[in-house]
């Protein structure tokens, strides 16, 4: 098996061709499913279909054939959506005791027709192949931008709930309920404040339990910013009462910095451990030198913590990531001024690393981890005391930075390097940044650094990570 020199070793990439949003994230019968927006015919966006892979640990994936194909004969392609396991056979799609996996997705009729509506399809073979419901569409509001449906079972009312975005203008979300996944009743609408303009995509609505035992709901949306073409992820915290979502006044909050390539994140239904696990698309543009485009982020467990007097979503790499750890190095405590190599040429291996470090920023304006790339280029992932942010500086890209609430003591940084991508989790996951290192993909060494002053390295551990990438 040949793995291309620029293919990430533990981030999910499609074997070939284009991938964008993760879709249909659901656990069923020992398998996590990852469906994804996929062009089966090329390295650029188009012919939208659902690619498919399964895994029992969210890291070691088995690629499977395309699960939902575009339907040009019926005038549409298959855009984003979710999947549920209908254990109670509310839909009637079940057969001889087999619970159906039901995919709920956006059918997009462009360019023939300016329309998107919601369709369903079911699988009786563990999510491998799907049959379209003959009563499609199950929801149509005659709008050119409608759907990206996220569906989940809401036990208190014994209903399926759907969150769907509505319209190409200012952020707008509809909630619907259904007893059977086929018949949907409008519940309520939720609108973005005018202070945060832009079109919404890829909503997710889920409950989280705070450390004090109280429950809050998070509504996460991607926002395409008007005019400039950029896009961000925002979230609201609040309450869901079975009919409507009521956002706290402090919302919305940003989850990643503007310009971060992470997008279209969604969470899993039915994690067997009851965790809320999120995966997002890390956007790449097609390149001649690779046969695929796009990757998925490290799966993260989402939690709720009170930080600086405010409830916030935090994200930590799922515990399963520790099973990737191989060769281990520890750096003894050190005072840092300038740059100190940790691993030099030849030691850096194939370029897949986890670094867990604690820095006492001392008098340094910035401190953190250096990633040495080919041709003497350096990327940095660190903490900037002056601005109170964690950041990634990738070559030839603007800094990506997120505020970190730091109440004194060492700053905790976990940095994952996987050839062309770096993911940083700061302050036990209160701030995260993902960054692409392209085109300088070869990691030849790692170091620690402090700028304009002295910092102290309290601990630094690093692990070479297992290459789990597989080809179809
Ligand atoms: C987000 C998105 C979704 C849409 C899909 C199409 O990246 O634009 O709104 O369903 O991608 O591929």
């Amino acid at each position: 098996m040949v793995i291309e020199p620029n293919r990430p070793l533990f981030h999910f990439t499609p074997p070939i061709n284009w991938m964008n949003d993760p879709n249909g994230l659901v656990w069923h019968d020992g398998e996590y499913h990852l469906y994804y927006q996929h062009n089966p015919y090329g390295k650029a966006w188009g012919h939208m279909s659902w690619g498919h892979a399964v895994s029992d640990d969210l890291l070691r994936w088995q690629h499977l054939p395309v699960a939902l194909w575009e339907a040009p004969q019926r005038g549409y392609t298959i855009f984003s959506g979710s999947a549920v396991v209908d254990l109670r056979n509310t839909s009637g799609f079940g057969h001889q005791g087999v619970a159906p996996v039901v995919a709920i997705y956006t059918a997009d009729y462009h360019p023939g027709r300016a329309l998107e509506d919601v369709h369903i399809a079911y699988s009786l073979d563990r999510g491998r192949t799907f049959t379209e419901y003959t009563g499609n569409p199950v929801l149509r509001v005659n709008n050119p931008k409608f759907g990206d449906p996220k569906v989940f079972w809401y036990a208190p009312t014994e209903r399926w709930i759907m969150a769907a975005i509505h319209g190409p203008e200012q952020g707008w979300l509809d909630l619907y309920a259904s007893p059977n996944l086929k018949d949907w009743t409008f519940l309520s609408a939720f609108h973005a404040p005018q202070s945060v303009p832009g079109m919404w995509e890829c909503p997710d609505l889920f409950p989280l339990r705070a450390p004090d035992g109280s429950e809050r709901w998070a509504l996460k949306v991607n926002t395409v910013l008007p005019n400039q073409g950029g896009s961000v992820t925002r979230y609201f915290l609040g309450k869901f009462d079975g009919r409507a979502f009521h956002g706290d006044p402090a919302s919305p909050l940003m989850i990643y910095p503007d310009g971060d390539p992470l997008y279209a994140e969604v969470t899993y239904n039915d994690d067997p451990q009851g965790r809320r696990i999120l995966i997002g698309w890390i956007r790449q543009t097609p390149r001649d030198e690779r046969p695929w485009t796009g990757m998925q982020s490290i799966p993260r467990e989402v939690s709720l913590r009170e930080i600086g007097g405010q409830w916030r979503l935090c994200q930590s790499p799922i515990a399963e990531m520790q099973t990737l750890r191989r060769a281990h190095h520890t750096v003894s405590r050190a005072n840092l001024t300038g740059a100190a190599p940790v691993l030099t040429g030849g030691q850096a291996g194939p370029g897949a690393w986890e670094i867990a470090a604690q820095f006492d920023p001392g008098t340094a304006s910035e401190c953190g981890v250096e990633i040495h790339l080919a041709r003497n280029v350096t990327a940095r992932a660190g903490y900037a005391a002056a601005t109170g942010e964690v950041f990634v500086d990738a070559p030839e890209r603007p800094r990506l930075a997120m505020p970190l609430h730091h109440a004194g003591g060492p700053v905790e940084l976990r940095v994952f390097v996987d050839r062309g991508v770096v993911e940083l989790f700061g302050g036990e996951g209160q701030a995260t940044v993902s960054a692409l290192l392209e085109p300088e993909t070869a990691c030849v060494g790692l170091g620690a650094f402090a700028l304009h002053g002295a910092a102290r390295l309290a601990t630094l551990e690093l692990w070479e990570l297992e290459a789990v990438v597989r080809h179809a």
Side-chain angles (χ1 to χ4, degrees):
M1 182 181 67
V2 178
I3 301 171
E4 304 89 332
N6 49 2
R7 191 184 280 270
L9 297 171
F10 61 90
H11 282 75
F12 180 86
T13 47
I16 188 168
N17 291 329
W18 169 270
M19 173 176 73
N20 54 298
D21 313 355
N23 293 151
L25 300 186
V26 68
W27 180 89
H28 177 45
D29 201 9
E31 294 178 325
Y32 289 95
H33 291 267
L34 169 57
Y35 302 94
Y36 52 87
Q37 286 286 280
H38 183 47
N39 179 355
Y41 304 111
K43 293 199 293 183
W45 186 90
H47 299 282
M48 282 295 117
S49 303
W50 278 23
H52 189 202
V54 291
S55 168
D56 61 8
D57 64 0
L58 292 154
L59 298 171
R60 297 162 177 92
W61 294 98
Q62 181 192 351
H63 294 290
L64 292 171
V66 168
L68 285 168
W69 283 90
E70 62 164 345
Q73 67 290 1
R74 296 195 290 276
Y76 54 85
T77 59
I78 315 290
F79 274 21
S80 285
S82 49
V84 298
V85 183
D86 185 11
L87 292 172
R88 296 159 198 83
N89 197 22
T90 62
S91 60
F93 294 141
H95 187 63
Q96 296 182 339
V98 175
V101 176
V102 181
I104 307 100
Y105 53 91
T106 312
D108 178 89
Y109 296 79
H110 298 82
R113 209 171 151 195
L115 179 70
E116 288 183 348
D117 56 21
V118 173
H119 287 210
I120 60 175
Y122 63 93
S123 166
L124 295 171
D125 61 354
R126 307 177 78 221
R128 270 52 176 183
T129 59
F130 283 85
T131 305
E132 263 226 41
Y133 172 48
T134 49
N136 282 332
V138 293
L139 257 179
R140 175 173 286 177
V141 298
N142 289 314
N143 194 298
K145 182 81 186 171
F146 176 74
D148 292 351
K150 174 62 190 248
V151 175
F152 59 93
W153 177 252
Y154 186 68
T157 55
E158 300 203 320
R159 286 288 179 274
W160 299 101
I161 302 292
M162 181 196 298
I165 53 94
H166 191 152
E169 285 103 22
Q170 176 65 359
W172 172 355
L173 176 110
D174 286 339
L175 295 177
Y176 297 85
S178 172
N180 57 10
L181 296 164
K182 297 169 175 166
D183 305 302
W184 293 91
T185 311
F186 175 78
L187 293 176
S188 60
F190 182 80
H191 295 272
Q194 289 299 330
S195 54
V196 285
M199 172 183 85
W200 281 354
E201 299 189 312
C202 301
D204 201 351
L205 176 65
F206 52 87
L208 288 169
R209 205 155 283 288
D212 66 6
S214 62
E215 184 185 77
R216 273 176 189 70
W217 284 71
L219 170 64
K220 167 259 136 193
V221 283
N222 293 100
T223 309
V224 179
L225 303 172
N227 311 322
Q228 332 148 26
S231 46
V232 296
T233 305
R234 295 198 175 97
Y235 66 95
F236 298 79
L237 293 174
K239 292 190 174 61
F240 174 63
D241 59 12
R243 297 196 65 80
F245 175 77
H246 308 277
D248 293 344
S251 299
L253 298 159
M254 295 282 283
I255 196 163
Y256 312 111
D258 194 0
D260 192 304
L262 197 52
Y263 195 70
E265 316 80 359
V266 268
T267 66
Y268 267 90
N269 282 328
D270 304 343
D271 176 62
Q273 297 173 42
R275 298 173 295 179
R276 186 53 58 175
I277 296 172
L278 177 140
I279 294 183
W281 166 43
I282 297 181
R283 292 174 277 196
Q284 285 183 314
T285 44
R287 281 190 196 280
D288 288 345
E289 67 271 16
R290 61 175 177 234
W292 84 92
T293 312
M295 68 178 95
Q296 301 296 338
S297 72
I298 291 174
R300 300 106 186 278
E301 182 173 352
V302 181
S303 63
L304 194 61
R305 294 213 324 261
E306 198 175 354
I307 292 163
Q310 197 174 29
W311 288 103
R312 287 194 164 265
L313 286 191
C314 295
Q315 302 178 59
S316 302
I318 52 166
E320 288 88 333
M321 284 296 292
Q322 293 179 19
T323 67
L324 300 183
R325 290 175 177 172
R326 293 294 174 267
H328 177 227
H329 306 251
T330 309
V331 175
S332 43
R333 292 154 187 264
N335 291 320
L336 272 179
T337 46
V342 174
L343 284 184
T344 47
Q347 287 181 300
W353 291 99
E354 174 185 351
I355 302 140
Q358 295 196 335
F359 290 88
D360 182 345
T363 56
S365 62
E366 297 181 358
C367 55
V369 171
E370 279 190 349
I371 302 147
H372 302 140
L373 304 164
R375 295 196 287 279
N376 270 336
V377 176
T378 296
R380 288 188 169 135
Y383 173 69
T387 53
E389 292 171 324
V390 292
F391 66 87
V392 178
D393 285 337
E396 296 167 40
R397 309 246 171 164
R399 169 170 289 193
L400 294 172
M402 273 301 276
L404 181 96
H405 186 79
H406 179 227
V411 173
E412 194 250 355
L413 299 178
R414 271 179 89 184
V415 182
F416 292 84
V417 182
D418 191 5
R419 292 185 161 171
V421 61
V422 175
E423 295 200 75
L424 164 66
F425 298 81
E428 292 170 341
Q430 61 157 293
T432 73
V433 178
S434 305
L436 291 169
L437 300 179
E438 300 174 309
E440 309 289 342
T441 47
C443 165
V444 296
L446 293 163
F449 75 94
L451 291 183
H452 311 120
R456 218 174 85 80
L457 190 56
T459 60
L460 192 149
E461 289 194 272
L462 78 144
W463 292 268
E464 189 173 324
L465 298 185
E466 182 189 336
V468 292
V469 61
R470 297 277 179 278
H471 282 244

